[in-house]
Amino acid sequence: MAIVNSENDLMEKIVSLCKRRGFIFQSSEIYGGYNGFWDYGPYGIEFKNAVQQLWWKYMVTTRDNVVGLDSTIICHPRTWKASGHVDRFSDIMCDCKDCKTRYRVDQMEDPTTCSNCGSKNLTPPREFNLMLKTYVGPVFDEDHVAYLRAETCQPIFTDFHLIRIATRKQLPFGIAQIGKSFRNEITPRNFTFRSREFTQMEMEFFCSDEDSMKWYEFWKEERMKFYTTKLGFKSEFLQYHDHDTLAHYAKAAVDIEFKYPFGWGELEGIHHRGTWDMSRHQEFSQENLEYLDQLTNKKYLPTVVETSVGLDRMLLATLAQAYDEDKAPTKKEGMDDDVRIVLHLTPMIAPVQVAVMPLSKKLNEKADALQKDLCNFYRTELDVTGNIGKRYRRQDEIGTPFCVTYDFDSDTDNAVTVRERDTMAQERVSLSNLRSYLDEKIYK
Ligand code: GAP
């Protein structure tokens, strides 16, 4: 029974919950924050790691045709010359001269008027490169400029050859990487949706040109399946959106869009990149990057099909799907039901999977021993303060699927009460069965 009133309301509630409970908050808050940069707190990092691991398992560990990479953030500057980022990775921006609001021109409803103050006194549109620059070495001049990577895929292309030789993989196969990317976005907005520092999870699948559309369709479906089966998203919150215009080298490109609280927006892209990246790196490095097909004895540059998603965006979408407010019955007679905030996160990704609660302070030691055992298998927390109802609410709010209460009977019947988050149903489970009970519910 959701009682969130409007979609904007929902966004505000998510931002507030994230800060209050230590999921996500502004970087450098004591200095007034830093626009486009976000920190993940104690629950946030557990949640982020869990989702990241889910993606890695789905895309790499459980497939024999995808391998992993962890490359540096700063690569040889020619990488970004070859990829086209140094010359072309830019947005057009303009400023309102009166109220100083900055705009990305392609996002303005009316590019002649400031939507903040109504002024028509705007600067002429100018190009702005989104690469973040730094210097490598002791001299700070143009010869020592380096770039923080703007996407994680470029090092995959430059390392392709070494990885293929080391793994002795034949085409088709993919290389995946998770890591930080940096873009000097003109207008970071919508919480973590558009940030200046964010984590990307990308997989580049190398294949022959003849097979590339078959693989494009395959990955398009696989990626949608990830959201509905692994993250439990409702299908009406997801849609494909084919790109209106294609790069000259691409045969196809599609976004998986999510219905965020602020409207439909891109969550992930599946891109046919042709041989563009490989041919550019071959040209700029002067290394032969062709692949020798041992069956046909033909040499060719691999065609690439890419799946690319921002982890931060995936987490935001997951929080938006999971957030709910419903009514929890209060035990006090004549009192209205409590409103409870609850995150319906799947048990695999909840920051705390099992909270252990002693019913009374006298039972703290026993509960502590139980939690110390369970923490070897699940993300756990010992929750000792406040009455049990308050503790349930606190755990509901961070999405803990199971609360295990150790009570005065536990010593004699060797059992605990397990309370399930969504149904709020309670079940007596013997301590000897607790592990298999939780395993079945969490990892099924
Ligand atoms: N390698 C292809 C590539 O980077 P992209 O469409 O620019 O393509 C891919 O980005 C994904 O990365 C997006 O779908 C989004 O999930 C995420 N992303 C891009 N820019 C972002 C930003 N400024 N903040 C957060 N996530 C971003």
Side-chain angles (χ1 to χ4, degrees):
M1 202 194 320
I3 51 174
V4 177
N5 295 324
S6 74
E7 289 174 337
N8 275 342
D9 194 21
L10 173 60
M11 194 64 181
E12 267 173 38
K13 286 173 186 230
I14 291 170
V15 174
S16 150
L17 170 67
C18 282
K19 183 174 181 187
R20 192 170 68 248
R21 300 307 309 273
F23 275 80
I24 308 170
F25 36 80
Q26 273 212 312
S27 160
S28 321
E29 209 214 29
I30 60 165
Y31 292 105
Y34 205 31
N35 199 7
F37 296 90
W38 298 94
D39 290 345
Y40 287 77
Y43 290 133
I45 183 60
E46 297 296 341
F47 174 46
K48 189 179 189 189
N49 282 344
V51 173
Q52 174 174 321
Q53 279 160 17
L54 198 67
W55 183 92
W56 191 261
K57 187 169 176 197
Y58 185 83
M59 294 299 286
V60 184
T61 326
T62 54
R63 297 179 197 270
D64 56 15
N65 59 356
V66 181
V67 294
L69 171 70
D70 181 25
S71 81
T72 56
I73 284 170
I74 295 176
C75 330
H76 196 292
R78 279 180 75 74
T79 309
W80 304 106
K81 198 75 189 146
S83 68
H85 282 79
V86 172
D87 296 324
R88 281 193 300 276
F89 192 53
S90 48
D91 283 333
I92 310 289
M93 68 179 210
C94 75
D95 295 308
C96 171
K97 288 187 189 164
D98 293 329
C99 74
K100 312 290 178 220
T101 303
R102 176 153 291 167
Y103 292 100
R104 231 174 88 175
V105 172
D106 64 330
Q107 288 173 347
M108 293 175 82
E109 269 171 33
D110 169 8
T112 62
T113 313
C114 172
S115 61
N116 187 44
C117 71
S119 164
K120 296 207 177 280
N121 195 9
L122 304 177
T123 61
R126 59 195 186 282
E127 217 169 293
F128 176 76
N129 190 288
L130 302 184
M131 294 288 285
L132 272 157
K133 271 186 189 177
T134 185
Y135 298 91
V136 171
V139 186
F140 283 21
D141 64 14
E142 279 304 303
D143 291 341
H144 294 82
V145 165
Y147 302 93
L148 305 194
R149 68 182 174 207
E151 53 181 15
T152 50
C153 62
Q154 290 304 326
I156 294 181
F157 302 131
T158 56
D159 287 357
F160 166 76
H161 239 48
L162 287 176
I163 293 172
R164 189 184 61 73
I165 292 162
T167 59
R168 301 164 74 213
K169 289 267 180 216
Q170 303 293 311
L171 258 51
F173 78 96
I175 303 175
Q177 157 145 264
I178 298 178
K180 287 285 178 99
S181 289
F182 301 81
R183 297 183 188 179
N184 201 359
E185 297 283 358
I186 297 168
T187 51
R189 61 163 76 159
N190 289 330
F191 196 24
T192 55
F193 179 81
R194 184 173 304 118
S195 317
R196 289 179 164 140
E197 173 176 340
F198 54 98
T199 299
Q200 277 190 318
M201 307 195 288
E202 298 198 291
M203 194 280 301
E204 309 301 312
F205 199 76
F206 298 84
C207 56
S208 67
D209 191 49
E210 301 88 80
D211 287 348
S212 59
M213 282 311 287
K214 185 187 84 188
W215 285 112
Y216 172 80
E217 293 299 333
F218 173 83
W219 287 112
K220 186 177 153 182
E221 271 177 36
E222 282 293 281
R223 292 306 307 148
M224 187 60 101
K225 223 168 21 170
F226 176 81
Y227 293 107
T228 53
T229 63
K230 298 291 167 188
L231 287 180
F233 285 13
K234 296 186 191 96
S235 50
E236 63 269 28
F237 280 75
L238 294 161
Q239 67 185 18
Y240 289 117
H241 182 260
D242 283 314
H243 285 204
D244 301 329
T245 49
L246 288 178
H248 68 274
Y249 49 80
K251 285 190 182 160
V254 67
D255 290 338
I256 294 179
E257 291 188 336
F258 178 77
K259 198 174 175 198
Y260 296 93
F262 48 84
W264 286 100
E266 179 183 339
L267 172 57
E268 165 155 3
I270 294 99
H271 310 129
H272 185 292
R273 295 181 74 118
T275 55
W276 163 258
D277 304 276
M278 296 306 285
S279 65
R280 293 281 289 182
H281 288 300
Q282 174 163 275
E283 183 191 334
F284 278 69
S285 67
Q286 297 287 297
E287 289 283 328
N288 185 347
L289 300 179
E290 284 174 322
Y291 169 76
L292 172 65
D293 188 323
Q294 292 180 349
L295 290 176
T296 60
N297 221 23
K298 277 196 187 138
K299 273 187 161 186
Y300 59 88
L301 277 176
T303 290
V304 173
V305 174
E306 163 184 85
T307 76
S308 173
V309 62
L311 175 55
D312 311 79
R313 250 182 225 192
M314 194 186 276
L315 297 174
L316 179 58
T318 308
L319 288 170
Q321 277 282 278
Y323 187 97
D324 198 7
E325 291 177 7
D326 64 9
K327 290 192 172 169
T330 166
K331 291 220 168 87
K332 288 179 208 133
E333 222 165 292
M335 295 280 282
D336 284 344
D337 289 345
D338 273 354
V339 171
R340 69 164 187 159
I341 296 173
V342 55
L343 289 184
H344 298 288
L345 297 171
T346 60
M348 277 291 274
I349 59 169
V352 175
Q353 295 170 304
V354 184
V356 180
M357 307 175 167
L359 191 62
S360 137
K361 274 188 189 144
K362 292 182 189 131
L363 300 164
N364 278 7
E365 238 173 75
K366 299 271 174 55
D368 183 51
L370 178 60
Q371 187 256 338
K372 289 224 161 57
D373 177 36
L374 294 177
C375 76
N376 292 304
F377 312 102
Y378 318 105
R379 291 184 292 278
T380 63
E381 185 171 271
L382 184 71
D383 195 349
V384 295
T385 46
N387 68 42
I388 215 79
K390 281 213 177 92
R391 284 186 255 174
Y392 283 159
R393 296 292 168 276
R394 250 193 334 249
Q395 295 296 334
D396 288 340
E397 205 181 42
I398 61 163
T400 306
F402 302 105
C403 292
V404 170
T405 304
Y406 196 98
D407 59 27
F408 289 106
D409 291 333
S410 299
D411 272 347
T412 42
D413 69 356
N414 283 319
V416 283
T417 299
V418 181
R419 183 258 196 187
E420 200 271 334
R421 177 196 64 205
D422 296 344
T423 58
M424 294 181 262
Q426 302 190 9
E427 212 177 324
R428 199 75 184 158
V429 179
S430 77
L431 282 166
S432 57
N433 277 343
L434 187 58
R435 278 283 318 286
S436 56
Y437 176 93
L438 291 171
D439 276 356
E440 157 70 20
K441 306 252 179 199
I442 293 174
Y443 299 118
K444 67 177 184 276

